[in-house]
Amino acid sequence: MNDTAIDYARYDHIRPILWTGEVLELLDQRKLPFLVEHVHCRDSDEVAHAIHALAVRGAPAIGIAAAWGVVLAARAVEAADGEDAARKLEPALQRLNAARPTAVNLAWALARMRRALEGAGADWRAVLEREAQAISDEDLAANRHMGALGAGLITPGSGVLTHCNTGSLATAGFGTALGVIRAGMAQGRIGRVFAGETRPWLQGARLTVWELQQDGIDATLIADSAASHLMKTGAVQWVVVGADRICANGDTANKIGTYQLAIAARHHGVKFMVVAPSSTMDMDTADGAQIEIEQRDPGELFGIGGTRTVAEGIAAWNPVFDVTPGTLIDAIVTERGVIESPTLEKMRAAFG
Ligand code: MRU
């Protein structure tokens, strides 16, 4: 199947990031699914804050938002050419880069914006705006292509389990792992979709099943702790997840809980697929031990929906990503092709 055989009007209509030409409008993912509200960013520090506070989230989406953040930062800078602008914009780029540490797409997008300024003349602002738009457009195209590639791996009638939110909300549109699920549903390959809640922030419960509902795709929500039992019942043949950073050897950082899904999948003979664009590849990082894992406020574990559920005075540990060893991954799907059972050699052949 090629990418264009999918009814994108049905399967790709949610947009988390909108550049109006003046303002960056971010669909506020802290409020979904009950409130559809936007955060309006008018300078780069507002974008950095929105990324840190998870108003916009998901590895590709934070890279795209940061790129538009650079466009906003350019408003406050007078510079003769690209080189001059790069120097003056650097503090704003550093603040954007510091907003979240784990997803490499953030640093990748900022590096692209820096590179775009090299050799730019007096029209450097327009150069930046074109580059941010290109980053967004390329992400959407990559997702649609990966959807077709990943769905092609799935035997018709399969059940799939996904984790976190990897859909339109986490990208320029369509999604990575959720793009594969959308394509697999459109092709009639996927029989049933399960989504884990994804404690503590509930990306699965608040965002993923909502996104699928918008498309008319039935999904079944499970508690994260039900995953191994679900696999034991034989209801799922694939776990399909996204990624925040994939190292040179295939080790993959993704939402906390992904690693235990990979272990459980291997134990039960369930296949494990990671879907991510090349902007998520970090060939400069040898393996997962080198990845900085974001730690968030332990307070995120003390309640649900603003209601405290834990007694006062309890300690909590809140790492929000973990690393799945490449050896537990059956396929990494990228827009450049599929890497089965990733190794350093295979990753180098694909990504240099
Ligand atoms: O903390 P989040 O919600 O930004 O974490 C997101 C994830 O872990 C996603 O699985 C990953 O970014 C891939 S999104 C296409």
Side-chain angles (χ1 to χ4, degrees), residues 169-327:
L169 291 169
T171 63
F174 199 57
T176 58
L178 217 59
V180 167
I181 290 172
R182 287 183 156 117
M185 290 302 291
Q187 291 178 333
R189 284 175 180 272
I190 295 178
R192 206 149 166 209
V193 181
F194 294 89
E197 280 182 302
T198 320
R199 281 281 292 152
W201 213 70
L202 299 175
Q203 286 93 332
R206 294 192 307 105
L207 307 177
T208 296
V209 292
W210 175 78
E211 267 202 47
L212 292 174
Q213 189 182 51
Q214 305 302 302
D215 291 10
I217 294 175
D218 288 334
T220 303
L221 184 66
I222 63 164
D224 297 321
S225 45
S228 295
H229 181 62
L230 177 74
M231 292 180 201
K232 197 177 186 180
T233 68
V236 295
Q237 282 64 50
W238 280 94
V239 174
V240 186
V241 296
D244 288 82
R245 188 183 293 249
I246 301 180
C247 301
N249 70 345
D251 288 358
T252 295
N254 192 49
K255 180 52 54 192
I256 192 78
T258 304
Y259 176 33
Q260 65 195 19
L261 290 179
I263 294 170
R266 185 57 57 92
H267 180 77
H268 292 97
V270 169
K271 298 274 193 186
F272 194 88
M273 185 192 305
V274 173
V275 189
S278 49
S279 55
T280 306
M281 305 301 152
D282 180 5
M283 294 301 289
D284 293 333
T285 298
D287 58 49
Q290 324 301 321
I291 298 176
E292 182 181 348
I293 299 293
E294 180 180 2
Q295 302 277 337
R296 291 187 73 88
D297 183 353
E300 290 182 353
L301 292 168
F302 292 153
I304 298 177
T307 303
R308 187 155 182 130
T309 53
V310 177
E312 298 290 342
I314 303 291
W317 181 54
N318 189 22
V320 298
F321 297 99
D322 58 27
V323 176
T324 298
T327 49

Side-chain angles (χ1 to χ4, degrees), residues 23-24 26 30 39-53 55-56 65 69 72 95-96 99:
V23 172
L24 186 65
L26 302 172
R30 298 166 299 186
V39 174
H40 296 85
C41 300
R42 292 181 174 78
D43 64 42
S44 64
D45 286 341
E46 286 181 349
V47 177
H49 180 261
I51 292 171
H52 181 72
V56 60
L72 285 170
R95 290 194 295 277
L96 285 163

